[in-house]
Amino acid sequence: MEQAKNYLQMQKLLRPEQVKHSEYQAALYLLSTDAGLTDVAKRYISTEGINFSALKKATKGFDEPIRQAVDVAHNLFSYNSNCAVSPFDLSRMGYPMMDHMCNALFIAGDQYRVEVTQDKSGNWTLDLDSSRYEKNKQAQMFLEALSKEANLLEDMAMER
């Protein structure tokens, strides 16, 4: 998978501890969705971090969806950066960019983890581990069921 190779190329430019952070994973995930974007982005990634200001200037001639991906990656990486991409813009992206954007939100929220592995044939694959999200979802559903049961018991006690 091309995205897995792109992701690995950029990941190697960072310090190992940086790669563990969800902000870095979300940014690299979005920046790895397009080979041309990855080639440009690699020039602005170092052990010091990601220079999004320079990357945005360097991608001015790119198509709108790619520029939007850079803008969202920047905002997920640094929450106080200005992001011109609105929820409306996201809703109009279509496949596959909308999927990438949603996945990046989960990654930045530390709900998904990016895993790049190599299969027996030597092909790289990028997978998303959603186990943390699934655990959170199950816990929330359990708490909601408990709350409903508590409300039912309270209602029954009041009726007596």
Side-chain angles (χ1 to χ4, degrees):
M1 179 184 212
E2 187 75 23
Q3 187 177 9
K5 288 180 185 178
N6 294 343
Y7 188 92
L8 282 176
Q9 289 173 2
M10 292 184 290
Q11 184 181 34
K12 289 177 183 177
L13 301 171
L14 298 167
R15 293 189 313 266
E17 63 271 13
Q18 291 169 313
V19 174
K20 296 176 186 173
H21 293 282
S22 60
E23 297 87 358
Y24 277 96
Q25 287 189 15
L28 295 184
Y29 178 82
L30 284 176
L31 299 176
S32 67
T33 59
D34 179 84
L37 175 57
T38 298
D39 288 341
V40 172
K42 288 188 297 188
R43 291 184 251 158
Y44 304 102
I45 299 172
S46 71
T47 56
E48 298 300 314
I50 303 172
N51 184 343
F52 277 101
S53 296
L55 178 57
K56 285 180 178 181
K57 289 177 186 173
T59 55
K60 281 203 189 260
F62 280 57
D63 291 340
E64 185 70 14
I66 299 299
R67 290 195 322 269
Q68 289 174 327
V70 173
D71 203 22
V72 170
H74 186 199
N75 187 258
L76 293 175
F77 182 79
S78 178
Y79 71 91
N80 59 352
S81 70
N82 290 327
C83 185
V85 182
S86 71
F88 178 82
D89 295 328
L90 292 172
S91 74
R92 298 301 187 259
M93 288 186 166
Y95 181 83
M97 193 52 81
M98 185 186 289
D99 283 359
H100 294 314
M101 293 292 188
C102 291
N103 287 337
L105 294 174
F106 282 110
I107 295 165
D110 209 23
Q111 299 299 301
Y112 286 8
R113 300 295 291 171
V114 177
E115 295 180 350
V116 180
T117 56
Q118 195 171 25
D119 65 18
K120 293 177 183 176
S121 303
N123 299 315
W124 290 101
T125 60
L126 187 147
D127 295 306
L128 299 175
D129 173 6
S130 63
S131 59
R132 177 174 270 173
Y133 175 74
E134 292 302 325
K135 286 178 187 173
N136 286 339
K137 188 164 76 171
Q138 289 174 353
Q140 183 63 34
M141 290 169 62
F142 176 76
L143 290 174
E144 287 175 12
L146 247 115
S147 177
K148 283 181 184 178
E149 189 173 318
N151 288 339
L152 181 63
L153 289 173
E154 187 177 297
D155 290 347
M156 289 173 56
M158 287 184 161
E159 289 176 4
R160 291 184 180 172

Short mmCIF file of all heavy atoms in Angstrom, two decimals, residues 34-62:
data_model
loop_
_atom_site.label_atom_id
_atom_site.label_comp_id
_atom_site.label_asym_id
_atom_site.label_seq_id
_atom_site.Cartn_x
_atom_site.Cartn_y
_atom_site.Cartn_z
N ASP A 34 -1.32 11.04 -0.10
CA ASP A 34 -1.01 11.38 -1.49
C ASP A 34 0.51 11.39 -1.67
O ASP A 34 1.21 12.05 -0.88
CB ASP A 34 -1.60 12.76 -1.82
CG ASP A 34 -1.30 13.20 -3.23
OD1 ASP A 34 -2.05 12.80 -4.14
OD2 ASP A 34 -0.31 13.95 -3.42
N ALA A 35 1.00 10.68 -2.67
CA ALA A 35 2.45 10.56 -2.89
C ALA A 35 3.10 11.92 -3.14
O ALA A 35 4.19 12.21 -2.61
CB ALA A 35 2.74 9.61 -4.04
N GLY A 36 2.45 12.78 -3.92
CA GLY A 36 3.00 14.11 -4.18
C GLY A 36 3.08 14.95 -2.93
O GLY A 36 4.07 15.65 -2.69
N LEU A 37 2.05 14.86 -2.11
CA LEU A 37 2.05 15.58 -0.84
C LEU A 37 3.14 15.06 0.08
O LEU A 37 3.86 15.83 0.71
CB LEU A 37 0.68 15.46 -0.16
CG LEU A 37 0.55 16.05 1.24
CD1 LEU A 37 0.91 17.53 1.26
CD2 LEU A 37 -0.87 15.83 1.77
N THR A 38 3.29 13.75 0.13
CA THR A 38 4.35 13.15 0.97
C THR A 38 5.72 13.65 0.54
O THR A 38 6.55 14.00 1.39
CB THR A 38 4.29 11.62 0.91
OG1 THR A 38 3.03 11.18 1.41
CG2 THR A 38 5.40 10.99 1.72
N ASP A 39 5.97 13.68 -0.77
CA ASP A 39 7.27 14.14 -1.26
C ASP A 39 7.58 15.56 -0.81
O ASP A 39 8.70 15.87 -0.42
CB ASP A 39 7.32 14.04 -2.79
CG ASP A 39 7.41 12.61 -3.29
OD1 ASP A 39 7.79 11.71 -2.50
OD2 ASP A 39 7.09 12.38 -4.47
N VAL A 40 6.58 16.42 -0.85
CA VAL A 40 6.78 17.81 -0.41
C VAL A 40 6.88 17.86 1.11
O VAL A 40 7.76 18.53 1.66
CB VAL A 40 5.63 18.71 -0.92
CG1 VAL A 40 5.72 20.10 -0.31
CG2 VAL A 40 5.65 18.79 -2.43
N ALA A 41 6.02 17.14 1.80
CA ALA A 41 5.98 17.19 3.27
C ALA A 41 7.29 16.73 3.90
O ALA A 41 7.72 17.29 4.92
CB ALA A 41 4.83 16.35 3.79
N LYS A 42 7.95 15.77 3.28
CA LYS A 42 9.21 15.25 3.84
C LYS A 42 10.25 16.35 4.01
O LYS A 42 11.09 16.27 4.90
CB LYS A 42 9.77 14.13 2.96
CG LYS A 42 9.00 12.85 3.05
CD LYS A 42 9.68 11.70 2.32
CE LYS A 42 9.81 11.94 0.85
NZ LYS A 42 10.30 10.76 0.12
N ARG A 43 10.19 17.39 3.19
CA ARG A 43 11.15 18.49 3.29
C ARG A 43 10.93 19.32 4.55
O ARG A 43 11.82 20.07 4.95
CB ARG A 43 11.04 19.40 2.06
CG ARG A 43 11.53 18.75 0.78
CD ARG A 43 11.50 19.73 -0.36
NE ARG A 43 10.41 19.32 -1.25
CZ ARG A 43 9.80 20.11 -2.09
NH1 ARG A 43 10.11 21.38 -2.18
NH2 ARG A 43 8.83 19.65 -2.86
N TYR A 44 9.74 19.21 5.14
CA TYR A 44 9.38 20.06 6.28
C TYR A 44 9.17 19.27 7.57
O TYR A 44 8.61 19.78 8.53
CB TYR A 44 8.13 20.88 5.92
CG TYR A 44 8.37 21.67 4.66
CD1 TYR A 44 7.84 21.25 3.44
CD2 TYR A 44 9.17 22.81 4.68
CE1 TYR A 44 8.09 21.96 2.27
CE2 TYR A 44 9.43 23.52 3.53
CZ TYR A 44 8.89 23.09 2.32
OH TYR A 44 9.15 23.79 1.17
N ILE A 45 9.64 18.04 7.58
CA ILE A 45 9.55 17.19 8.77
C ILE A 45 10.98 16.89 9.23
O ILE A 45 11.83 16.50 8.43
CB ILE A 45 8.80 15.88 8.46
CG1 ILE A 45 7.38 16.18 8.01
CG2 ILE A 45 8.81 14.95 9.68
CD1 ILE A 45 6.62 14.96 7.51
N SER A 46 11.20 17.08 10.53
CA SER A 46 12.52 16.80 11.10
C SER A 46 12.34 16.41 12.56
O SER A 46 11.23 16.40 13.08
CB SER A 46 13.42 18.03 10.99
OG SER A 46 12.97 19.04 11.89
N THR A 47 13.43 16.16 13.21
CA THR A 47 13.38 15.84 14.64
C THR A 47 12.88 17.03 15.46
O THR A 47 12.51 16.87 16.62
CB THR A 47 14.76 15.40 15.17
OG1 THR A 47 15.72 16.43 14.88
CG2 THR A 47 15.19 14.09 14.53
N GLU A 48 12.83 18.20 14.84
CA GLU A 48 12.28 19.39 15.50
C GLU A 48 10.77 19.43 15.41
O GLU A 48 10.12 20.19 16.11
CB GLU A 48 12.87 20.66 14.87
CG GLU A 48 14.38 20.77 15.02
CD GLU A 48 14.82 20.80 16.48
OE1 GLU A 48 14.21 21.55 17.27
OE2 GLU A 48 15.76 20.07 16.81
N GLY A 49 10.18 18.63 14.51
CA GLY A 49 8.72 18.61 14.36
C GLY A 49 8.32 18.75 12.90
O GLY A 49 9.06 18.36 12.00
N ILE A 50 7.16 19.33 12.67
CA ILE A 50 6.63 19.54 11.33
C ILE A 50 6.43 21.04 11.13
O ILE A 50 5.70 21.68 11.90
CB ILE A 50 5.30 18.80 11.12
CG1 ILE A 50 5.46 17.30 11.40
CG2 ILE A 50 4.78 19.03 9.70
CD1 ILE A 50 4.16 16.52 11.41
N ASN A 51 7.05 21.60 10.12
CA ASN A 51 6.94 23.02 9.83
C ASN A 51 5.74 23.22 8.90
O ASN A 51 5.87 23.23 7.67
CB ASN A 51 8.22 23.55 9.19
CG ASN A 51 8.19 25.04 8.97
OD1 ASN A 51 7.13 25.67 8.98
ND2 ASN A 51 9.35 25.62 8.73
N PHE A 52 4.56 23.36 9.49
CA PHE A 52 3.34 23.48 8.71
C PHE A 52 3.26 24.80 7.94
O PHE A 52 2.68 24.84 6.86
CB PHE A 52 2.11 23.29 9.59
CG PHE A 52 1.77 21.85 9.81
CD1 PHE A 52 2.10 21.22 10.99
CD2 PHE A 52 1.12 21.11 8.83
CE1 PHE A 52 1.79 19.88 11.20
CE2 PHE A 52 0.81 19.78 9.03
CZ PHE A 52 1.14 19.17 10.21
N SER A 53 3.81 25.87 8.48
CA SER A 53 3.77 27.15 7.77
C SER A 53 4.46 27.03 6.42
O SER A 53 3.93 27.45 5.39
CB SER A 53 4.43 28.25 8.60
OG SER A 53 3.71 28.45 9.79
N ALA A 54 5.65 26.44 6.42
CA ALA A 54 6.39 26.26 5.18
C ALA A 54 5.69 25.25 4.27
O ALA A 54 5.64 25.43 3.05
CB ALA A 54 7.82 25.80 5.47
N LEU A 55 5.12 24.20 4.86
CA LEU A 55 4.42 23.18 4.07
C LEU A 55 3.20 23.78 3.37
O LEU A 55 2.94 23.48 2.20
CB LEU A 55 4.02 22.00 4.96
CG LEU A 55 3.23 20.88 4.30
CD1 LEU A 55 3.99 20.29 3.10
CD2 LEU A 55 2.92 19.78 5.32
N LYS A 56 2.47 24.62 4.07
CA LYS A 56 1.30 25.26 3.46
C LYS A 56 1.70 26.13 2.28
O LYS A 56 1.03 26.13 1.25
CB LYS A 56 0.53 26.08 4.51
CG LYS A 56 -0.26 25.23 5.47
CD LYS A 56 -0.99 26.10 6.48
CE LYS A 56 -1.82 25.27 7.42
NZ LYS A 56 -2.54 26.10 8.40
N LYS A 57 2.80 26.85 2.41
CA LYS A 57 3.28 27.67 1.29
C LYS A 57 3.69 26.79 0.12
O LYS A 57 3.41 27.12 -1.04
CB LYS A 57 4.44 28.55 1.74
CG LYS A 57 4.04 29.67 2.66
CD LYS A 57 5.25 30.45 3.14
CE LYS A 57 4.83 31.48 4.17
NZ LYS A 57 5.99 32.15 4.79
N ALA A 58 4.33 25.69 0.42
CA ALA A 58 4.84 24.80 -0.63
C ALA A 58 3.72 24.05 -1.37
O ALA A 58 3.94 23.57 -2.47
CB ALA A 58 5.82 23.79 -0.03
N THR A 59 2.54 23.96 -0.75
CA THR A 59 1.44 23.22 -1.38
C THR A 59 0.36 24.15 -1.95
O THR A 59 -0.73 23.69 -2.28
CB THR A 59 0.80 22.23 -0.38
OG1 THR A 59 0.38 22.94 0.79
CG2 THR A 59 1.77 21.12 -0.01
N LYS A 60 0.67 25.43 -2.10
CA LYS A 60 -0.33 26.38 -2.62
C LYS A 60 -0.84 25.99 -4.00
O LYS A 60 -1.99 26.23 -4.33
CB LYS A 60 0.24 27.79 -2.66
CG LYS A 60 0.21 28.45 -1.30
CD LYS A 60 0.23 29.95 -1.43
CE LYS A 60 0.44 30.57 -0.09
NZ LYS A 60 -0.71 31.06 0.55
N GLY A 61 -0.03 25.37 -4.83
CA GLY A 61 -0.44 24.98 -6.18
C GLY A 61 -1.15 23.64 -6.26
O GLY A 61 -1.56 23.21 -7.34
N PHE A 62 -1.31 22.96 -5.14
CA PHE A 62 -1.95 21.65 -5.12
C PHE A 62 -3.47 21.79 -5.21
O PHE A 62 -4.02 22.86 -4.98
CB PHE A 62 -1.58 20.91 -3.83
CG PHE A 62 -0.22 20.26 -3.85
CD1 PHE A 62 0.93 20.99 -4.10
CD2 PHE A 62 -0.09 18.90 -3.62
CE1 PHE A 62 2.18 20.40 -4.11
CE2 PHE A 62 1.16 18.30 -3.62
CZ PHE A 62 2.29 19.05 -3.87
#
